[in-house]
Every structure is written in structure tokens, then in C-alpha cells.
Amino acid sequence: MSSTDAISGQAFQYVEVAMPLPFRRTFTYRLMPELAPFVQTGARVLVPFGKRTLTGYATSFHNQLASDLDAETVKNVIELIDPEPLINGEILDLTKWSADYYVAAWGEMLKASLPAGINAAVESIFTVSDSGRLALLRAKSTKAGKWQILQHLVENGPTDQTDLGKLFGIATAKRATNELSRSGHVLTERETATAKVKEKRQKAVRLLSAQIPADAKPLNDVQKKIIYSLQTAGGEMLFTDLLERAESGASPISTLAKRGMIEVYIRDVRRDPLTGADLPEIDILTLNTEQAFVFGEIEKALSVGDYKAFLLHGVTGSGKTEVYIRAMRTALEMGRSSLMLVPEISLTPIFSRRLRAVFGQSVAILHSNLSPGERFDEWRRINRGEARIVIGTRSAVFAPLENIGLVIVDEEHDASYRQNESPFYHGRDVAVMRAHSANAVIVLGSATPALETYHNAQTGKYQYLQLQNRIGGRPLAKAELIDMRDVFKLAGKDVVFSQKLIEAIKETHRKGEQTIILLNRRGFSSFVLCRSCGESLRCKNCDITLTYHRRDRRIVCHYCNYHTEPPDVCPFCESEFLYFIGQGTEQLEDMLVNQFGDLRIARIDRDAMKRKGEMAKILLAFDKGEIDILVGTQMLAKGHDFHNVTLVGVVSVDTGLGLPDFRAAERTFQLLTQVAGRAGRGELPGRVLIQTYFPEHYALKHAVNQDFKGFYNEEIRYRERMGYPPFLVLAAILIKHKDDKYAVRSGQLLREALDRTNSDKALRILGPAAAPISRIKNEFRFQLIIKSPNRKTLRERVDNAIVEAETLGCDKRILQIEIDPVNLM
């Protein structure tokens, strides 16, 4: 939509702007005549907001002010950032739906749809005033931060807030400049800073003609080498590359440009995430009977051109990926684009290479492990229509693809699709809505579908497709539960690895095959305990024990990242008897290295993967057989296709079953079934050993048999009896504040307002009660859980209750609302 009325041709006077702040409303700004004709919906604009200047998003235009607004108080748009909008109409509608559905701020959802770092910011520039110079001369001591900053401004001239923060610390610089501004000792100007991420441009050289006119001066040896270098490179090279290859300086290039033989120009340089990557050879595969049927159903739906949703339930190794690729090719041949979501960054290195090998430069990759420049360039290629296939993690659901025909959500059950910070949304469910709006086909694929998804297929909301057999008729890996109670009796103590697992690792190595060991817990040990007084070392900011990381020699909180060196004595009783209890992946790696010194062992978890590209490097090395044992967390369980892995060992599976969450059994079943699927994917049979102290649990028994339907039938009865999804809709409201009494008061006011809106008892309201983790980052946390048979009723009553509670003194700013939460911790 343009800011000019299509009928009258007159520019609108006002624009509604969504701000990337926690407000569920837009704000009205005036469009000055010189700006009004150029602003379009989806464009970013710079606007004043309180004392700040922020980037917002134009969402609509009008000439009449709302009755509660006074024209005198409406502020002007300062600047138009995008002559051509970055956000198209489809993404504008999708983010609006997502914000409404998840009770989130539209502006925050719009910001989340764009690559990080492209928003312009407004920087404060500080200059010392005459009174500041005089005050500095009169100061008895200049040790305080404000005098040091003033001295810096005198010596170095105008300086921006960012540079002062780097020199003196962010908090000190902010506090000091505020005080100096109030006293008039510094003058403040504001200017628009460029975006952190923008196009990368470099000087390049293009060959125009290699022919020398008959009457022209002959080329010297260096000039000939320049022309030859350009010819062998296809006629174009980066300026710096040409200097190096031709062993030339800049002067001969300038001479050739003046003679009209070459052209020096500036061009965009693409930062390709797959630069230098080895692409796999693509085999032409023949679909088996099951795959052919599934693909035929998807192809039929694509040819109709209407919305259609499929659940593709295929056992691990059944060939879902080949079906996905065929469906993408079909969509491309029909002139439509494809979007594929994967739950983890760890899944993209191998699969993105495969897609690039099949579809070439039509493929773009979007995930948070790319550099900001790579992410921006990939997003720009999609926006320009240069990439027609996108693979990425959950935020890729907002990729600006035009004419989407196919959406694929692989491992659709995975909790990683849920955004667990504001703005909250579920990538899978937003993908379903995007496909519906675009009249596209969506395929939700998994070996262990989410109960809600499978229930939707059972009730006819989605068409159910199944791949029951592995490719080539290969059997599923044989799984076995190891009862660690028996192991404890034999050993007389707790052990990490049972003798059966140790022998299996040795046997696997003797055969030249590979092993995966899974423990879904990072670090060296779970917590540090004093054997004298019984106290454990806890985070000073959170109600959680600290995890010991031996390699870095520090104890760390995995919630707020607080870390410190482990003490030599107990801080409570000064005893020296500190014990490191429980295991993490780091300790498992060390234990395996000690036990199997001749094996090549590596680890995959968030601690080990901090360096860019490290995860892809290790996964590719494991795929090539350069690593014998791979230790890791749940990141290893998802989607990887390692043909020489024949053994999977699972250590300490019971931790997940003990979590205070109604999805604990489902997640444990999914994790075990998925990791079991990593074994025996090649020609060799696979084996899975699962160590547990609770072998009777139904989730474990069904996981061993990879019996999804058996698990579903037991779990669905429990969900129905206890009133959990898919039979009821859930909302979780978290109330958090540094003052626990303040949080409790707001929570109680909200509960009372909810009770008044719920006179017919349509909702079931629990709480407010302390959250399972009652304090994080020095904020006390209380929780309300609301159940309803109807989503619309739930959202309306929650909205009404919040409005009423706010009028009675409830602080809305400390409420965090989640619709369809996947984690109640």
C-alpha cells in the first residue's frame, strides 16, 4: 500500500507505525508533504519515541486522527529509511497474524522477520561546552568517571556514545553523560548511524576488448599479463585478485582503463555461506513403492494449486529427504518457490550442501550461525527473487519468498521451532499459516510426530502419509534397555558406562564402525556439592545449581551465563570436601578418551561449538570416518545420515523423564527414537543401548520397539484424563520481577481479574505459584497456567483480564504471555 490515495491522488497525512517494543498497538505519526508520497507499507521509518529516536515499520495510512489524539501532540516522521519496502505484503500479514495469535507486539515480530543488524540507529554525539571546560579546570580531582570523560572530550573533540562506552564502560559512560548533559557541561547532538550490516562492495575489473587498434601503442609485458589474467578468469575479476595474479601494480590497470580495454567499477560481493564447500555427488535414485505413493500425493496437491497439509510419518532412514527434494523440483518446475525448515543449525551443513548440489544457486540458507553479512546477503538474494529455495531454522519462516508453492517442516515435533523469548511464536504453526495464506502445500515430516500433529491427522485436519520401512528394506536398529539398578548391584557403586556398553564400543571399533554416545546435559559435572555441610554451589542470580566446566576451569549458570572459578573450599563451611556430582558431555568425552586412548573422539554441544564453522567441520569429519566416537547432546539425534554408525549409546536417559512438564514422556520417547535412528542407516545393522534406572516406564518400552502408535495410545489417554493439549488449549503467564512481593501482588491482581471474566468456569486457572525455576537473572518468577477448550475464548478473556488488572495496579510490563507453550519450566 502506498501513502498516496489511489482515488484522489493525494498523499495521506498520517502513518501508523509498529515499534519493535513490547506494545501491542501501533503509533500515529504525521507525514510531512515532502516525505508523504514516498512512504509505503512495510518500509522502515525513523521516528521520535519519548526521548529516543527509533526505527519503526509503516503499516497503514489515513487522514483522520483517532478521537483520543490531538493533532498538536502527533510527532513527525523524521526520515524514510527504505525507498523500496523491505517487508512485502505477505510478510506484513503473516507477522500481524503471528502477533495477534501469540499475544505479541507486531513491531517485535516485524523486527524478528528481518536479518539482524540492518536497522539504522540514532547515535548521541557529545561535545564539551564552555561551562564544561571551566568545571574541569576547577575540579579538585579528575579521577571520577565523568571528569575522565570530560577530559577525553576536551582532548579528542566530539565523541559518540558507543566509543565512550568502549573506552570507559557502557554503564559508566551512560551514567556520566546523563549527569554532564543535565549540568550543561556537554552538548548533545543526535545523528542517524548506518546499519551494522550492509552490502559488501569491492573494486572489480571487467575486460572490454583484448584487441589493440593497429595505430595504437603495443602493450608491455605487465599489461599483456593483465589482459591474459582477465581472459582466463572469464573476463571479470576483483581488483585485488587481479593485482595478485598479474603481479602488477595499480598504474598499468589505470592505463588500460584509459585506453578503453578494461573497465574498473564497484560491484556487490556476495558473502556465500557455502564458499569453498565440498558438494556431494548426486546419485539418481529410484523411489520405492512407498516413496512413489507419498510423492504422487504431494505432486497431485501441488498441481491443484490450493492449500493442502500433509503429515509425513516416516521411520528414521525411510527416505523422507528424497521425497522432499522431488517435491521441491516439482514446485520449481511449476514456477513456484519452496521453503524448508529444519529445527537445528546442526542439520544445515550436510543437507544445505546436498540442496546446493541439486539446485545450484537457487538455494539460500538462513540460520543464526551465519555471519551477519552472510545472513544479510542470503536474505537479499531471496528478496530479489534470485533464490527460489530456502532452507533454514525457525526464523526462516519469514523469508521474503514470492509465490510459495511448497513448505516443508522437517522434524516438525522438535521443540526448537518454538521461540523462547519475545516475540514468542512456533515456527511450525506459523509455517502452516503461511502455506494456508499462500495456497501452498505444506508437508510436516517426522519419525516421531508431535501428539498434536498426529491428532490433527487422525481427525482429518491433515492428510496422513506414511513411510513404514527403511530404504532397501534395512531393519531398524535393535534397541535394548540396560537396567542400571542391576549394574549398580554388581559394581557396588554408581558407574557411568555399563560393562555391556564398554564391550559394545570395543566391538564396534574392531569392525571399523562408528559410535554415537548421547547425554543430554552439557558441562563436566551437573553441580558441585559440599560433603560436609550438604550445600551445593548455586548461581547468585538464579535458583539453579552451577555446572562445572573443567576445560575452562569455571562453574557456569546455563541460564544467565554467570561464571566464576570453582572455590578451593566450601563458601558455607570452609570444608575442603567439595565433590563434583553428575556427568555432562565434557566429562563423558574425557572418560572415553581415558578408556579408549587409541580412538578418535570428538564432542558436539553448545559449549564445543562456539567457534563459527566448528560444528560443520566436526560433522563432516565424522561423516568421512575421520572420527570414531562422537559424544553429544540432543543435537546429535536429529536428522543426520551417517552410514557407518552402527552403535548408539544413551547415558542417563532418566533425567528427561523427571522434569516437571506434561511433555516429559513425549520428549524422552522422541529423543530416544530419533537417536536410535542414527544407527544402521547404511548396509550394516545397528544397535542401540539405553542405560536407565526406570526400564518399566512406558516411554522407554515403546521407544525400544520404535512403536509410535503404542506410545501415542498410552500418552493420549493421559492427556485427555489430565486436560492437556490436544484436548485443551494452554496459556502460560509468567510474572517476573526483582521484588518477589511486587511480582506476587501483580500476579494476584491478574488472577482475581481472570476469575471475574471466568464466571461461567469455561477456563481452568492454576496459580499464581512459584515457577519450577523460581529465580533467573535475579528476577523472581511466578506462573499462571490457563486451560480452555476454545482458543478464541482463552485469548479474549486473557486480554480482558489484563486490561482490568492493569487499572487496579497490576504491572503489565512484568507479564510474559505464552500461547501454546511448549516448556512450562
Side-chain angles (χ1 to χ4, degrees), residues 457-614:
Q458 296 295 101
T459 56
K461 188 173 181 180
Y462 303 153
Q463 183 177 334
Y464 183 68
L465 300 173
Q466 192 171 16
L467 296 172
Q468 300 183 69
N469 301 292
R470 279 186 160 184
I471 294 295
R474 297 170 191 143
L476 293 169
K478 183 181 178 183
E480 180 183 347
L481 294 175
I482 298 174
D483 190 337
M484 294 302 286
R485 297 172 299 190
D486 295 337
V487 173
F488 177 84
K489 287 175 187 174
L490 285 172
K493 61 179 181 179
D494 281 325
V495 296
V496 177
F497 299 115
S498 62
Q499 194 58 38
K500 183 174 278 190
L501 180 55
I502 290 170
E503 292 302 324
I505 293 171
K506 289 177 181 176
E507 179 64 21
T508 302
H509 181 57
R510 274 197 296 270
K511 294 177 180 176
E513 296 159 12
Q514 292 168 292
T515 298
I516 286 175
I517 301 292
L518 176 92
L519 171 63
N520 204 17
R521 190 164 54 227
R522 295 185 281 155
F524 187 84
S525 63
S526 305
F527 61 97
V528 184
L529 179 76
C530 174
R531 283 284 173 93
S532 293
C533 69
E535 292 284 355
S536 56
L537 301 187
R538 305 181 78 82
C539 176
K540 67 176 187 178
N541 306 316
C542 310
D543 183 28
I544 199 79
T545 54
L546 294 167
T547 301
Y548 176 48
H549 292 251
R550 190 168 73 175
R551 205 147 294 174
D552 300 329
R553 185 160 169 74
R554 59 181 188 167
I555 44 178
V556 180
C557 174
H558 287 161
Y559 283 85
C560 73
N561 204 34
Y562 165 76
H563 57 271
T564 185
E565 290 187 3
D568 295 322
V569 297
C570 173
F572 302 99
C573 71
E574 299 188 352
S575 163
E576 295 180 0
F577 299 106
L578 291 176
Y579 284 79
F580 299 90
I581 308 296
Q583 294 81 37
T585 45
E586 184 185 349
Q587 184 176 165
L588 251 62
E589 182 187 17
D590 282 1
M591 293 174 74
L592 288 165
V593 168
N594 292 332
Q595 181 96 26
F596 306 101
D598 56 333
L599 270 61
R600 298 163 296 178
I601 299 168
R603 172 165 56 99
I604 288 274
D605 59 28
R606 298 200 186 281
D607 298 316
M609 300 296 106
K610 287 176 182 174
R611 282 211 324 245
K612 185 178 182 293
E614 188 69 17

Side-chain angles (χ1 to χ4, degrees), residues 47-62:
V47 294
F49 193 85
K51 295 181 179 179
R52 295 179 290 172
T53 303
L54 300 175
T55 301
Y57 309 91
T59 61
S60 64
F61 305 95
H62 53 89

Side-chain angles (χ1 to χ4, degrees), residues 63 66 97 118-119 157 163 180 203 244 250 294 453 515 583-584 598 645 650:
N63 284 319
W97 176 88
I118 70 167
N119 280 338
D163 286 344
L180 291 168
K203 193 188 291 186
E244 185 177 340
V294 166
T453 306
T515 298
Q583 294 81 37
D598 56 333
V645 171
V650 183

